[in-house]
Amino acid sequence: MTLPWLTILLLLPILGSVVVALLPARLGGPLPKLVGLGFSVLTLVLAIGIAVAYQPGTGLQFAEEVTWIDLFGAHYALGLDGIGLTLVLLTVILTPIVMLASWEDGETGRWGAKGLFAWMLALEGLSIGVFAATDVFLFYVFFEATLIPVYFMVAGYGGPRRVQAAVKFLLYSLAGGLVMLASVIGLYVVSADSEGGPTYLVSELAQLDIGTAAGRWMFVGFFIAFAIKAPMFPVHTWLPDTTEQATPGTSVLLVSVLDKIGTFGMIRFCLEIFPEASRWATPVVIVLAVFSILYGALMAIGSQNISRLIAYTSVSHFGFIVLGIFVMNSQGLAGANLYMFNHGLSTAALFLVTGYLISRRGSARIEDFGGVEKVAPVLAGLMLVAGLSSLALPGLSPFVSELLVMVGAFVYSPWVAAFAVLGIVLAAIYVLWLYQRTMTGPVHEGVAGMRDLGLREIGALAPLVALIVALGFYPQPLLDVINPAVDHTMSQVEKSDPRPTVTEGEAQE
Amino acid sequence: MNGFDAPKIEYFTVSPILIVLGVAVIGVLVEAFAPRKLRYPLQVGTALVGLAAAFATSVVVFARLNPFAGDVKAGKVVAEGALAADGPAVFCWLLVLVLGALSVLLFAERRLEAGVVGFAGQAAALPGTEAEREASTSGLEHTEVFPLIMFAIGGMLLFPAANDLLTMFVALEVLSLPLYLLCGLARRRRLLSQEAALKYFLLGAFSSGFFVYGIALVYGYAGSMGFAQIAAAVQADGGERGLLLAGIALISVGLLFKVGAAPFHSWTPDVYQGAPTAVTAFMAAATKVAAFGALLRLFYVAFGGNRTDWTPMIWAVAILTMVVGSVLAISQTDIKRMLAYSSIAHAGFILTGFLGIRSLDEVAAGGLTGVSAVLFYLTTYGFTTLAAFAIVTLVRDGGGEATHLARWQGLGKESPLVAGAFAFLLLAMAGIPLTSGFTGKWAVFAAALQVGAWPVVIVAVLMSAVAAYFYVRVIVLMFFSEPVGDGPSVTTPSIMTSVVIGFGVLATLVLGIVPGALIDVLGRVGVFIR
C-alpha cells in the first residue's frame, strides 16, 4: 500500500491555507506569515522528494484513480508525467519565494497579510491539482476553482482600480471556462456513446474515435479557454489591466503559474485528445502565435507602465510557447515545455524586482525613474539579470528553450521562424530600453535616496537567479524529464492518420 | 344500484397527499377553535409533524421502487388512473416535502420582526390606517398562513403525480390559490405586496384559462383526459391534428407561466419582489419542482409520441428564457428582483435539460436522461435558492428588509459569515465547480447535448457567462465596497432560519462535491410509468 503522495501534496497547502485563515487575530504579528511560509516550504520539500523519486521515462507516475461520479464518467485521477512534474515544481518553487517577497505587501490589503498568505496557499494547492489531474472533469473543476483565490488576491490587494481589474479577469476566465464546459460535456456525450461507457480519463479519451466535425468543435471550445488563459492575442487584454493593479506577488503567481494552465492544457488536452483537429487548426494557431509574439513585443516597447510592460512581454513569450506547441515536432514541443518552466522563473524575477522598485518609488510610470543604478546598485544589477533572462541571453535558462522553439519553428517553416525571430530582436529593445530609462542616466529626483534591497528581498530573488543561471548552463535534468513526455505526445499526434503536408498559407478546409 | 363499483384507492401510496391535505384542514380547525395564544405553536407543530409523516410514508413508497439496487420497479398508476406514483413523481414528493418543511420554518421565524411572524398582522386592515396600527401594536398575527402553505404543498404533491388532465388542473388550482393569497400578506410594504398578489392572481387566472381551453382541445382530439389514452391517440395519429397542436400550445402557456419561462415570465419579478420573502423562497424552490415535474410528465408521457412537433417550440422558449433572465438581471438594483430574474434564467437552464427527451430504447439502462437531469437540477437549485432568500430576510434596516442592492454594500465587513454564505450560494447559481450549481448545469447541458441540441447548449453557456457577471457584481458589492451611511445590519435569526440557511449551504456543497449517489438514484428511477 503506497501513500497517495500527490493527494498529500495537493492537500498540504490547502490545509495550510485553512490553518492560516483560522489563526486567531490576537496572535497577530508575523506568526500567520511564518506558518504560511512553513507550509509552503513543507510542500516544496515534499515535491522535491517526489521529483527525486520520479523515474524519467514514459507513462504516468504516482498515479491515483478513484471513481468519483459514475454516471458522468468522472474520476478523481491524478498522475504526473514529465510536463506535469516540471509545472508542479515551478508552482512549489515560486510559492515560498513569492511569500518571502510579499512579506509586507499584504498588510494594507483587505484581509491583511494573513488573508493574502491563505489565498496564496489555496492557489498553490489548486494549481498542483490542475497540473496533476489526469481526468478532464477533475481538471475542469480545478481549472475553475483556481479563479476564486486569484480573484480575491487581485481584488483585495493592490492598486486603486484593483476591483475592476479583478472582475475583468474573472469574467474573461469564466467566459472561457464556460465555453470549455460545452466541450467537456461534448466529450461525455461522445464517450457515453462508445462501448466503454462514459469516461473522462485522458488516457481513455485519447483512444476514443471522435468524429471529425465533433472533434473540431470540441477542440475550438478547449482552445478558446486556453487561449484566454495563456493569454494569446486577441484575448489577452485582461492581463495588462490585472498585473497593473495586482501586487507583484499576485502577478507572479498569475503569470508564471496560472497562465501556464493554458499552454499546459493545449498540450495535454488539445493535442492528445484531438490530434486531428489540432493539425486542422495549426495554420490559424501559428499565425495567432506569431501575431502574439510581435504584438506583445511592440506593445511592451510602447508601454509607459512597468507592470503593463512585463505583462506584454509575457504575451510575447506565450506566443513563443504556443508556437512551439503547434509546430508539432519534438524540438518545438520540448522547447515549449522547457519555456514554460523558464519563463516562470524569469518573469517571476522580473515582476519581483520591479515590484521592489515600484513600491519604493510609489509609482510604476517609467518616466518617474532614472539613474537608479547609482543609488541602488544591487537592485539594478538584479533587474539587469532578470531582464537579460527575459530576452533569452545565452547562458541564462530561457535561451535554451527559445532556441529549441526556434529550431522547431524552422523545421515547420522557415517563414514562421523568420517572423518569430523578429520577436527576439524586439525583446532586446524592450528590455534594454526599460533598463536604460529607469536605471541609467542622471538620478531622477524622485529616486534620490532610494534604499537598496534588504536581506529578505535579496533572499527571495537569490534562488530564482541561481536557478536561471544553473539551468542556463545545464538544462539536461529538465530535458531528461520532459523528453519522454514529449515523445508520448508526439506519438499521440501522429498516430491517427498520416500527417498532411502543411505549408504556410495553405488553407486546411 | 347494482352496477356501481366503489373506486379503488391505494390509500397507502397516496397517503403523503392525504396527510398533507388533512393537516391543512386541521389547521383551519385550529384557527377556528384554538385560543389565539395557542395557535402559533399548534399550527407550526402540526404542520411540521404532518410534513414529517408525509415524508416518512413517501420514503416507504419510494423505497418500494428499489431505487438503490436490484430491479427498478416502474411504480404504479393509482386512484383509478388519476395519479401515477412512479419514480419522478415520488422523488418530487420527497423534494417538495423537504423544501416545504424548510419553508414552514421560514414562515415561523419570529425573531426578525421582534416577536411576530413576518406576515401582516391583520390583512383586512387597509395599509396606513388606524386599524392597521392597532393590529400591529397589539401584536396580531395571521397564523392562517400555515394551513395555506399546507394546502399549497398538497397541490404541489398532486401536480407532478397527476396522470390525467383534469387532476392536473385541480392540482394546479390547489397549489396556486393559497399562493395568490400568501403573496399579499407581507407585514411591511403592504401595498407592494397586495399589488403583487393581485398581479399574480390575474395573470395566473388568465393562464389557467389557457390551460383549460387547451385541455378541452386535447380532449376533443383524443377523446380522453388520461395521459395513457392521449399517448395512444397520438401514436395512432388518428383525429384532427390541428386540435392536438393547438391544445399542446395552450396547455404549454399555462405550465410555462407557472415555471416562469419567457415570454410568460413578466409576473415573476414583481411577485417575487412584493411577496413576503419567505413566500418568495417557497415559490422559487417548491413551485418550480412541482411545475417542472408536471411539465415533464405531460410532455414525455402524453405527448412523447409527437415530440418532433413541440421540441422546436421548447428550443425557442428555452433560449428566450435564458436570454431574458440573464440579460435583464444585469440592470436590477433590488436583490429580490435580481434573484427573480436569475430564477427565470434557471428556468431556461432546466428547459434545456427538458429537451433531452429520447425514446426509451435509446437510453442506456441507468444512464443520464432528460428526466433525471431535470430532477437533479431542481434539487440543487431548490436548496440553493431557498437558502439565498432566507439570507435576504436577515439583512435589514429600520424599515424592514433592506433589499436595495446599495444597502448591501460592505456587508462582508459587517458580517463576514452571512456575506460569505451568500457569496457561496451566488457562486453556486453561477455554476462554479465544487458547488451543486455546477453539477446541475453539467447534467442538464449533457442531457440536451445527447439529443443534438447544441445550439441551445451554446446559448446556455454564453448566458451562464452573462449571469456570472451579475452574481459577481453582488459579491463585489458585499466585499469590496465601503458601507454607505449606517450600512445594513444582519439581524440574528432564531434557530429556524439558521437551520434553513445551514441546510441549503450544506446541500449546495455536498451535491457539488459528491453528487454521485443522488445522480445514480435518479438515473435509476428517472423513468415515467406509462
Side-chain angles (χ1 to χ4, degrees):
Chain A
M1 169 80 201
T2 52
L3 282 173
W5 286 112
L6 288 179
T7 302
I8 298 174
L9 184 69
L10 179 164
L11 287 181
L12 191 61
I14 291 180
L15 175 74
S17 155
V18 174
V19 170
V20 171
L22 291 184
L23 280 179
R26 64 192 159 75
L27 287 179
L31 183 69
K33 293 193 275 193
L34 286 173
V35 173
L37 186 64
F39 269 99
S40 70
V41 169
L42 214 58
T43 313
L44 174 64
V45 170
L46 181 60
I48 289 176
I50 287 178
V52 169
Y54 183 90
Q55 310 285 332
T58 49
L60 292 169
Q61 302 185 23
F62 302 98
E64 301 167 25
E65 189 184 317
V66 182
T67 302
W68 179 16
I69 308 171
D70 202 21
L71 202 64
F72 292 5
H75 303 74
Y76 177 80
L78 300 175
L80 283 180
D81 63 356
I83 306 172
L85 178 68
T86 47
L87 291 171
V88 167
L89 281 177
L90 181 66
T91 309
V92 297
I93 291 171
L94 287 181
T95 305
I97 289 176
V98 164
M99 282 186 173
L100 200 58
S102 331
W103 204 250
E104 264 128 42
D105 290 353
E107 303 293 357
T108 53
R110 182 69 177 75
W111 294 279
K114 182 171 113 167
L116 182 62
F117 277 47
W119 286 123
M120 280 182 182
L121 283 169
L123 179 62
E124 182 183 18
L126 294 172
S127 305
I128 293 171
V130 169
F131 295 130
T134 54
D135 178 285
V136 177
F137 192 88
L138 184 67
F139 170 82
Y140 184 80
V141 168
F142 281 127
F143 179 83
E144 295 278 88
T146 50
L147 301 180
I148 307 291
V150 178
Y151 169 74
F152 283 104
M153 277 158 71
V154 177
Y157 304 86
R161 292 181 51 77
R162 56 179 190 253
V163 174
Q164 289 89 329
V167 170
K168 187 171 183 182
F169 156 78
L170 189 66
L171 291 180
Y172 259 84
S173 305
L174 273 182
L178 285 164
V179 172
M180 187 165 107
L181 177 63
S183 291
V184 170
I185 294 174
L187 279 179
Y188 162 81
V189 174
V190 173
S191 71
D193 286 344
S194 71
E195 283 171 19
T199 178
Y200 267 125
L201 286 177
V202 176
S203 52
E204 291 176 13
L205 286 174
Q207 311 299 327
L208 212 58
D209 191 19
I210 301 173
T212 309
R216 289 176 182 180
W217 278 109
M218 285 189 268
F219 168 85
V220 170
F222 275 98
F223 188 80
I224 289 176
F226 294 145
I228 290 178
K229 198 88 194 175
M232 273 179 87
F233 178 85
V235 281
H236 63 280
T237 58
W238 61 270
L239 183 68
D241 291 353
T242 308
T243 55
E244 184 183 353
Q245 298 300 326
T247 65
T250 306
S251 297
V252 170
L253 292 181
L254 183 63
V255 177
S256 294
V257 177
L258 213 59
D259 287 354
K260 297 297 186 305
I261 298 172
T263 43
F264 170 76
M266 288 179 197
I267 300 173
R268 175 60 49 81
F269 301 107
C270 290
L271 255 53
E272 294 195 8
I273 301 179
F274 310 108
E276 193 278 337
S278 300
R279 281 200 305 276
W280 161 75
T282 297
V284 176
V285 175
I286 286 193
V287 168
L288 280 179
V290 172
F291 236 93
S292 292
I293 294 173
L294 299 179
Y295 176 84
L298 289 173
M299 288 302 283
I301 292 172
S303 290
Q304 298 301 316
N305 179 300
I306 298 177
S307 303
R308 292 184 76 88
L309 188 150
I310 301 177
Y312 280 117
T313 70
S314 285
V315 173
S316 179
H317 288 150
F318 274 107
F320 276 108
I321 300 177
V322 175
L323 180 66
I325 295 171
F326 275 86
V327 295
M328 300 210 190
N329 48 47
S330 48
Q331 296 92 332
L333 207 52
N337 278 312
L338 201 56
Y339 210 133
M340 286 200 255
F341 190 83
N342 290 332
H343 168 262
L345 298 180
S346 82
T347 305
L350 206 51
F351 265 124
L352 292 182
V353 74
T354 54
Y356 298 153
L357 188 68
I358 293 167
S359 71
R360 279 169 165 68
R361 176 68 177 85
S363 163
R365 297 180 59 81
I366 294 176
E367 64 193 27
D368 288 342
F369 295 91
V372 176
E373 66 183 5
K374 297 195 182 67
V375 287
V378 179
L379 195 160
L382 284 170
M383 175 146 162
L384 187 62
V385 175
L388 291 177
S389 80
S390 178
L391 66 77
L393 188 79
L396 298 178
S397 64
F399 168 71
V400 187
S401 36
E402 203 153 294
L403 188 74
L404 277 170
V405 170
M406 291 310 300
V407 170
F410 195 84
V411 170
Y412 174 79
S413 152
W415 282 101
V416 171
F419 277 109
V421 87
L422 276 179
I424 301 180
V425 178
L426 294 174
I429 296 179
Y430 61 66
V431 167
L432 295 176
W433 200 29
L434 171 70
Y435 185 82
Q436 184 192 342
R437 284 183 289 173
T438 54
M439 297 293 152
T440 61
V443 178
H444 190 283
E445 59 192 32
V447 301
M450 184 184 270
R451 275 184 305 114
D452 207 342
L453 294 187
L455 210 56
R456 168 183 65 79
E457 293 164 319
I458 296 175
L461 278 176
L464 281 178
V465 173
L467 272 173
I468 289 173
V469 173
L471 290 173
F473 281 100
Y474 191 59
Q476 203 54 42
L478 272 184
L479 283 172
D480 282 345
V481 171
I482 288 173
N483 278 333
V486 167
D487 292 342
H488 172 72
T489 307
M490 286 307 300
S491 69
Q492 282 291 338
V493 175
E494 280 170 356
K495 184 184 58 184
S496 46
D497 32 14
R499 190 183 163 176
T501 45
V502 184
T503 50
E504 179 81 344
E506 182 188 332
Q508 297 278 306
E509 294 187 46
Chain B
M1 290 296 274
N2 289 341
F4 184 81
D5 291 325
K8 180 170 166 295
I9 309 281
E10 290 78 351
Y11 282 102
F12 185 77
T13 309
V14 299
S15 60
I17 304 175
L18 298 179
I19 292 172
V20 169
L21 291 175
V23 169
V25 173
I26 292 174
V28 175
L29 293 176
V30 169
E31 274 316 305
F33 296 109
R36 191 179 290 279
K37 266 192 173 156
L38 279 180
R39 284 181 205 166
Y40 172 83
L42 272 177
Q43 291 287 17
V44 177
T46 46
L48 289 177
V49 169
L51 290 173
F55 185 78
T57 52
S58 301
V59 167
V60 176
V61 175
F62 193 61
R64 286 183 184 171
L65 301 172
N66 279 343
F68 301 107
D71 291 333
V72 188
K73 300 215 180 73
K76 50 187 172 181
V77 175
V78 295
E80 302 284 330
L83 295 175
D86 54 7
V90 183
F91 184 79
C92 282
W93 289 357
L94 293 170
L95 195 52
V96 165
L97 287 169
V98 175
L99 293 172
L102 293 174
S103 304
V104 167
L105 291 179
L106 285 184
F107 277 39
E109 175 65 55
R110 271 172 138 177
R111 189 179 291 179
L112 296 174
E113 286 284 2
V116 286
V117 291
F119 294 93
Q122 194 174 17
L126 290 177
T129 57
E130 191 58 37
E132 188 198 30
R133 253 188 303 283
E134 228 168 73
S136 172
T137 45
S138 58
L140 292 184
E141 297 181 288
H142 268 305
T143 40
E144 287 93 340
V145 294
F146 296 102
L148 284 174
I149 189 180
M150 293 304 279
F151 276 119
I153 293 173
M156 288 174 187
L157 299 182
L158 207 52
F159 205 29
N163 201 33
D164 67 45
L165 289 169
L166 219 49
T167 315
M168 189 173 244
F169 180 67
V170 171
L172 177 69
E173 294 305 309
V174 172
L175 86 85
S176 299
L177 288 172
L179 283 179
Y180 299 147
L181 212 54
L182 285 169
C183 284
L185 290 181
R187 180 174 283 272
R188 315 257 189 165
R189 301 198 189 90
R190 290 188 53 203
L191 283 176
L192 208 61
S193 165
Q194 293 178 355
E195 182 195 329
L198 193 63
K199 214 172 237 173
Y200 192 25
F201 170 68
L202 285 178
L203 290 174
F206 198 46
S207 80
S208 293
F210 278 93
F211 190 77
V212 174
Y213 201 167
I215 291 180
L217 295 184
V218 171
Y219 181 76
Y221 171 80
S224 169
M225 300 278 187
F227 288 178
Q229 290 81 351
I230 295 172
V234 169
Q235 272 317 333
D237 197 17
E240 185 62 49
R241 277 177 65 79
L243 276 182
L244 175 68
L245 296 182
I248 291 178
L250 291 174
I251 289 179
S252 318
V253 172
L255 287 173
L256 292 174
F257 172 85
K258 272 290 156 221
V259 302
F264 316 107
H265 65 283
S266 52
W267 61 276
T268 316
D270 292 341
V271 174
Y272 275 29
Q273 185 188 14
T277 308
V279 176
T280 312
F282 176 61
M283 280 198 295
T287 310
K288 270 216 166 54
V289 177
F292 267 108
L295 192 71
L296 282 172
R297 177 180 307 282
L298 178 63
F299 278 84
Y300 278 36
V301 176
F303 303 136
N306 65 333
R307 61 174 180 274
T308 45
D309 289 334
W310 54 261
T311 37
M313 171 190 81
I314 300 293
W315 274 46
V317 171
I319 289 176
L320 189 66
T321 306
M322 289 184 288
V323 172
V324 165
S326 306
V327 172
L328 292 187
I330 292 176
S331 60
Q332 299 307 315
T333 54
D334 184 282
I335 188 82
K336 281 170 84 176
R337 281 187 90 81
M338 195 209 84
L339 288 175
Y341 277 105
S342 129
S343 101
I344 294 172
H346 282 283
F349 294 138
I350 302 175
L351 283 174
T352 308
F354 174 55
L355 286 172
I357 179 171
R358 290 183 291 176
S359 60
L360 280 178
D361 44 317
E362 286 176 68
V363 182
L368 187 76
T369 61
V371 181
S372 45
V374 167
L375 290 178
F376 182 70
Y377 199 103
L378 288 169
T379 315
T380 63
Y381 178 68
F383 288 114
T384 307
T385 194
L386 197 65
F389 277 111
I391 289 180
V392 171
T393 65
L394 303 185
V395 182
R396 312 174 78 90
D397 56 18
E401 287 163 14
T403 56
H404 197 278
L405 272 179
R407 306 288 296 150
W408 284 59
Q409 287 187 8
L411 198 70
K413 209 165 240 170
E414 184 88 11
S415 12
L417 196 64
V418 171
F422 197 68
F424 177 70
L425 296 170
L426 289 177
L427 289 177
M429 289 189 196
I432 303 284
L434 300 179
T435 66
S436 64
F438 168 66
T439 41
K441 273 214 174 80
W442 192 97
V444 291
F445 292 176
L449 217 50
Q450 274 177 331
V451 294
W454 55 267
V456 185
V457 174
I458 289 182
V459 173
V461 160
L462 294 178
M463 285 306 122
S464 305
V466 172
Y469 170 73
F470 60 79
Y471 295 125
V472 169
R473 203 176 53 138
V474 177
I475 297 179
V476 169
L477 268 183
M478 290 193 301
F479 285 102
F480 302 114
S481 300
E482 289 304 314
V484 181
D486 287 343
S489 69
V490 170
T491 314
T492 314
S494 71
I495 181 79
M496 291 187 275
T497 304
S498 313
V499 164
V500 176
I501 296 171
F503 200 88
V505 169
L506 199 68
T508 305
L509 185 68
V510 169
L511 291 178
I513 295 176
V514 279
L518 179 63
I519 288 186
D520 284 344
V521 167
L522 285 175
R524 287 169 60 82
V525 302
V527 180
F528 288 111
I529 187 171
R530 278 149 218 268

